[in-house]
Amino acid sequence: MARSILHMLTPLRHMSPFDVNMAVDAGFETVVTYTEVSLADVVSLTQDSIFSRSPADGTRTGIFIGGKNAEDALDMVDRAKKAFVPPFVNHVFADPAGSFTTGAAMVAQVSRALRQKFNTDLTGKRIVIFGGAGVVAYVAAVIGALQGATTVLVGHDGEERVSKIAFTMKWRFGVEVGAVDGTTPEDRRAAIRDADVILSAGPAGIPILTAEDLKSAPNLLVASDVNAVPPAGIAGIDVNAVDVALPTGKGVGIGALAVGDVKYQTQRRLFDRMLASDTPLCLDFRDAYELAVEIAG
């Protein structure tokens, strides 16, 4: 059997050691990283990877897309797929900054909590997402919308930037995602007024919502924070929290390590799936969510 090879592409200066470790521990025998990769580079790199091996070895060859931007990663996936010349086809897996699997794990944990604690699901729920310009927020918003929720991105510096991101989601995935301003405490309280679910995916160590702020969300069922660096993004959510009562007594909180455990397992098992599959796979956050729901239980 041909050796398993993973070509890891990123537009950044460095490939994430986290992702390299995950790939090696999953069992890829050879892992090669390519940095500062532009969209224009993807075709030649992809075709070099497919034409140097027989079509039968396509499932022993993978392309991993990293970086820190959701749209850039998805564009690279599209470019790689278009570069294939069947039967010369490889696996493709996008997980920029690990955020595709993180966002999927976050929504999967929320979905589990809604089901186990409140006997309901994401359908019809209003999900308000802070850190709205980031990849985790992007993933959570699209997944939530695909699951029948009303999702809203909150911009820390106004509404304009998150509105543009929401527009790209509609263009790419056909989903309606809202956008609101979260510049001031008053704006943030207004944003969560009708929220059933609050997600915090802002920068590490930056508090976003206080216990007093949470009083503005009387319908709140579940809140989750992926910030693992103190202070918490949402008051009262410890990194180890799993369905812990929030400070207001309304709803439960899920912390960063609870999300991270599902994220880790999800990314690892997607690599495993690439190594085990007899047909070429193209994996993104939708595949990650399906798996994360299974893992979260």
Side-chain angles (χ1 to χ4, degrees):
M1 180 181 291
R3 292 176 66 86
S4 57
I5 301 175
L6 184 65
H7 301 283
M8 306 187 78
L9 282 55
T10 178
L12 304 178
R13 184 179 176 189
H14 301 291
M15 174 59 68
S16 166
F18 186 103
D19 295 328
V20 173
N21 290 352
M22 292 287 288
V24 172
D25 288 344
F28 279 96
E29 296 166 284
T30 302
V31 174
V32 185
T33 63
Y34 306 78
T35 59
E36 299 181 320
V37 175
S38 70
L39 184 61
D41 295 327
V42 173
V43 169
S44 60
L45 289 171
T46 299
Q47 294 188 338
D48 277 354
S49 78
I50 61 174
F51 290 136
S52 56
R53 310 191 93 181
S54 76
D57 295 330
T59 56
R60 300 291 292 166
T61 315
I63 296 172
F64 178 86
I65 307 295
K68 284 192 174 182
N69 182 282
E71 289 290 329
D72 289 348
L74 293 167
D75 285 344
M76 284 189 169
V77 169
D78 290 342
R79 192 64 60 93
K81 289 166 60 179
K82 290 176 182 177
F84 291 144
V85 183
F88 293 91
V89 182
N90 296 341
H91 299 301
V92 182
F93 175 21
D95 196 13
S99 297
F100 277 13
T101 46
T102 299
M106 191 181 205
V107 181
Q109 281 283 45
V110 167
S111 178
R112 175 202 55 74
L114 286 171
R115 184 178 67 257
Q116 293 181 358
K117 295 294 180 178
F118 304 101
N119 194 32
T120 188
D121 58 23
L122 292 169
T123 306
K125 300 299 183 293
R126 184 173 180 84
I127 304 176
V128 178
I129 308 167
F130 292 86
V135 184
V136 173
Y138 185 105
V139 168
V142 175
I143 291 175
L146 291 173
Q147 295 300 310
T150 297
T151 57
V152 180
L153 297 174
V154 183
H156 76 277
D157 55 357
E159 184 180 333
E160 182 177 357
R161 186 154 61 121
V162 287
S163 292
K164 291 178 179 178
I165 294 171
F167 177 80
T168 67
M169 294 172 178
K170 181 175 183 178
W171 169 78
R172 193 181 289 271
F173 298 103
V175 296
E176 296 285 349
V177 173
V180 298
D181 183 12
T183 305
T184 69
E186 293 75 20
D187 292 330
R188 293 190 286 275
R189 291 179 183 184
I192 65 174
R193 187 170 295 126
D194 298 318
D196 300 293
V197 174
I198 299 173
L199 305 181
S200 176
I206 303 297
I208 295 174
L209 294 174
T210 67
E212 189 65 25
D213 292 334
L214 291 177
K215 293 179 181 179
S216 298
N219 301 324
L220 182 61
L221 299 176
V222 182
S224 182
D225 183 6
V226 292
N227 174 21
V229 179
I234 300 177
I237 302 183
D238 179 80
V239 292
N240 294 299
V242 179
D243 304 347
V244 173
L246 293 168
T248 59
K250 294 181 182 295
V252 298
I254 300 169
L257 295 187
V259 173
D261 179 60
V262 175
K263 174 266 186 306
Y264 178 90
Q265 294 184 63
T266 300
Q267 185 175 1
R268 170 59 187 268
R269 285 169 61 174
L270 288 174
F271 278 131
D272 290 342
R273 189 176 290 179
M274 292 168 71
L275 286 165
S277 178
D278 292 329
T279 57
L281 303 175
C282 184
L283 305 171
D284 64 21
F285 58 80
R286 290 164 291 189
D287 305 279
Y289 179 69
E290 181 180 344
L291 182 54
V293 167
E294 176 185 325
I295 293 167

